[in-house]
Amino acid sequence: MASFLKKYNIELKTAGPVFIGSGNIIHKKEAIFKKASVIIIDTQKMFKYLCDKRLLDKYQDYMLDDRMDLTTFLQNNNIDKDVYSKWDAKELSLGDTKSTSQGDAKSKGISSFVRDGSGRVYVPGSSLKGMLRTILTGAYIIKNTDCGVEKKLDDSKWKLGNHPYKGSMEKEYKAAMDDIEVQLFHKKLFSDPEGKNKLENKINDSLRGFMVSDSEYISNEDMCVCQKIDIGLEGKERAIPLYRECIKPGVSIKFSITVDSTFCDYDKKSIIEAIGLFYNDSYWKKVSRQFEKVAPVIKDRYTCFLGGGAGFESKTVIYPSFERSKAVDFTSDILSVLFPDVNHDADREVSPRVVKCTYYKNNKYLFGACRLDKFSDPEEPIKF
């Protein structure tokens, strides 16, 4: 490998179920729902079988009948387990999910995890880099309290006034974050004889030299179905009818980071330090500690949050940018506009005033929580 490139092999160990959504929902028409599990099949292979057996007319009638699920259709056409097991059947536990007044996993469907074209589970490098980019940004702000980010966010809030619309709030906040990232990460990386290369252009983002691979494949045996559970400051739990295909707790996510030093100067020490700063000095002290008596507690400073359902506060740099009470006020103002029916203006100790959790094998976990397990390079591998 060229001397200006440095490759690190990373392992994250899931401390809670992790969900990276594909955008697809697995419905009762596409899966076999049992009392305690769901069998997910490859519908393309099923369709080929139905074509070969000349069952397409019956399949069309089935698809138009909202009352019939896949289990019933298979039984009516004498298609047993010996047949559908050949359709890449994957059985996932539903043991810790529960029905709500708004429905259960069968009626609401299951949000599927991202897979490649062959149906194999992996974590995209874009998801891993997005997590690390937020961590690097937050850590920089924590270390450089006079960098001007707090003022930039305050100015954005002032521009919006007291009663902004959702669209204008999202636009203004995105513009502020874009300005912050330009300030933190953009450099004049290329010559500009014609004066057309503005600093804010994507080509000047130094993190173009911070390359994150997709993860190694994760086995179907390491997947489960989890339900979103909101836990309030007082300990009240609310089961939400959101069901997700997740990586189980205790599973290793293995990937690599390659740093091109001609663009950016991150190394092993600075990346590890950033993860510790973002969690310990921001998330733990300003958010998680407020739920210590009612929710799972992770005191390992090398903790991060990956994927969907992990919570607004882990995806933004608002808490690193302000002291706690001001961060709460700033976040509640944003969430009050984005979710006007949830009364976020009542948030006082922390915002949002619920923590995103789930159950797996009767144990309570934080959604998306991972801990840094290994960080290695050819010179000095580290086991955490």
Side-chain angles (χ1 to χ4, degrees):
M1 183 175 289
S3 60
F4 59 87
L5 297 176
K6 189 72 172 179
K7 183 177 180 180
Y8 305 106
N9 295 316
I10 318 294
E11 286 189 33
L12 298 178
K13 184 68 69 71
T14 55
V18 169
F19 169 68
I20 311 287
S22 68
N24 296 322
I25 303 294
I26 303 165
H27 294 288
K28 66 179 182 180
K29 293 285 187 181
E30 305 166 321
I32 302 165
F33 284 85
K34 297 183 176 182
K35 184 176 181 180
S37 66
V38 58
I39 299 174
I40 301 170
I41 60 173
D42 186 325
T43 53
Q44 290 185 341
K45 292 188 176 182
M46 178 182 74
F47 193 77
K48 183 180 184 304
Y49 174 88
L50 297 176
C51 288
D52 293 341
K53 298 297 182 180
R54 298 185 178 182
L55 292 170
L56 286 185
D57 287 343
K58 290 185 177 181
Y59 182 70
Q60 184 176 2
D61 293 340
Y62 153 69
M63 290 299 292
L64 295 173
D65 187 348
D66 290 337
R67 298 166 298 175
M68 189 183 299
D69 61 17
L70 182 58
T71 302
T72 305
F73 171 76
L74 296 178
Q75 290 173 346
N76 290 347
N77 291 279
N78 299 314
I79 301 172
D80 59 19
K81 185 176 180 180
D82 289 339
V83 175
Y84 67 70
S85 63
K86 298 176 183 177
W87 302 340
D88 286 347
K90 299 174 279 288
E91 188 163 3
L92 304 177
S93 172
L94 291 173
D96 291 291
T97 65
K98 61 178 70 174
S99 178
T100 72
S101 60
Q102 297 168 280
D104 58 9
K106 183 176 180 179
S107 63
K108 303 296 288 186
I110 299 168
S111 297
S112 63
F113 202 97
V114 67
R115 294 172 181 266
D116 72 0
S118 300
R120 292 173 293 186
V121 176
Y122 73 104
V123 178
S126 57
S127 298
L128 293 161
K129 184 170 181 176
M131 175 192 73
L132 290 167
R133 190 180 185 102
T134 300
I135 287 171
L136 294 173
T137 306
Y140 179 90
I141 294 168
I142 292 168
K143 289 176 66 178
N144 301 273
T145 55
D146 59 347
C147 64
V149 169
E150 180 175 358
K151 183 179 185 303
K152 198 176 292 288
L153 290 172
D154 279 336
D155 288 346
S156 297
K157 184 177 177 181
W158 180 83
K159 288 179 188 177
L160 288 166
N162 293 326
H163 303 288
Y165 293 106
K166 179 179 178 180
S168 59
M169 166 70 82
E170 291 174 334
K171 183 178 179 180
E172 184 62 37
Y173 180 69
K174 182 181 183 303
M177 292 309 303
D178 287 345
D179 287 347
I180 289 167
E181 293 207 349
V182 168
Q183 176 186 334
L184 269 57
F185 298 124
H186 284 225
K187 304 174 183 177
K188 280 295 184 77
L189 298 174
F190 301 95
S191 61
D192 184 24
E194 298 181 5
K196 295 181 179 180
N197 183 14
K198 297 181 180 179
L199 185 63
E200 60 268 25
N201 292 349
K202 290 292 184 183
I203 197 173
N204 291 317
D205 185 349
S206 65
L207 289 189
R208 65 186 290 124
F210 191 89
M211 296 164 281
V212 184
S213 74
D214 293 340
S215 77
E216 294 182 8
Y217 289 118
I218 294 164
S219 72
N220 287 314
E221 288 71 27
D222 287 329
M223 304 300 291
C224 62
V225 175
C226 292
Q227 180 178 11
K228 180 187 175 188
I229 307 289
D230 283 350
I231 302 179
L233 284 168
E234 71 289 348
K236 183 178 179 181
E237 297 185 8
R238 181 181 174 220
I240 310 295
L242 289 176
Y243 305 88
R244 297 161 170 152
E245 183 187 13
C246 299
I247 303 173
K248 294 176 181 178
V251 174
S252 290
I253 300 173
K254 301 178 182 180
F255 64 101
S256 66
I257 298 172
T258 302
V259 178
D260 183 340
S261 61
T262 61
F263 292 119
C264 64
D265 55 2
Y266 287 104
D267 57 15
K268 177 170 60 179
K269 180 181 178 181
S270 59
I271 297 168
I272 293 172
E273 179 189 38
I275 294 171
L277 274 175
F278 188 82
Y279 182 75
N280 192 65
D281 291 37
S282 177
Y283 191 89
W284 165 248
K285 290 183 178 178
K286 298 178 182 178
V287 179
S288 189
R289 182 179 284 177
Q290 317 309 313
F291 296 95
E292 189 172 5
K293 295 181 180 179
V294 298
V297 172
I298 302 176
K299 293 187 177 180
D300 186 338
R301 70 181 289 112
Y302 299 109
T303 298
C304 49
F305 288 86
L306 175 64
F312 180 86
E313 59 274 42
S314 70
K315 303 292 186 180
T316 70
V317 295
I318 292 174
Y319 275 92
S321 301
F322 301 108
E323 52 87 18
R324 190 173 72 84
S325 61
K326 188 172 181 180
V328 171
D329 291 342
F330 196 97
T331 303
S332 67
D333 287 344
I334 291 178
L335 295 181
S336 294
V337 175
L338 299 181
F339 308 101
D341 300 327
V342 186
N343 298 321
H344 280 291
D345 53 357
D347 296 350
R348 294 292 180 268
E349 295 299 316
V350 66
S351 183
R353 59 184 184 277
V354 296
V355 64
K356 313 299 183 184
C357 294
T358 191
Y359 279 94
Y360 174 70
K361 290 190 175 180
N362 296 317
N363 291 313
K364 198 185 304 181
Y365 292 94
L366 294 174
F367 238 120
C370 300
R371 66 177 180 83
L372 186 59
D373 196 40
K374 292 182 183 178
F375 196 114
S376 62
D377 62 36
E379 298 172 3
E380 187 185 357
I382 297 178
K383 177 88 169 71
F384 285 81

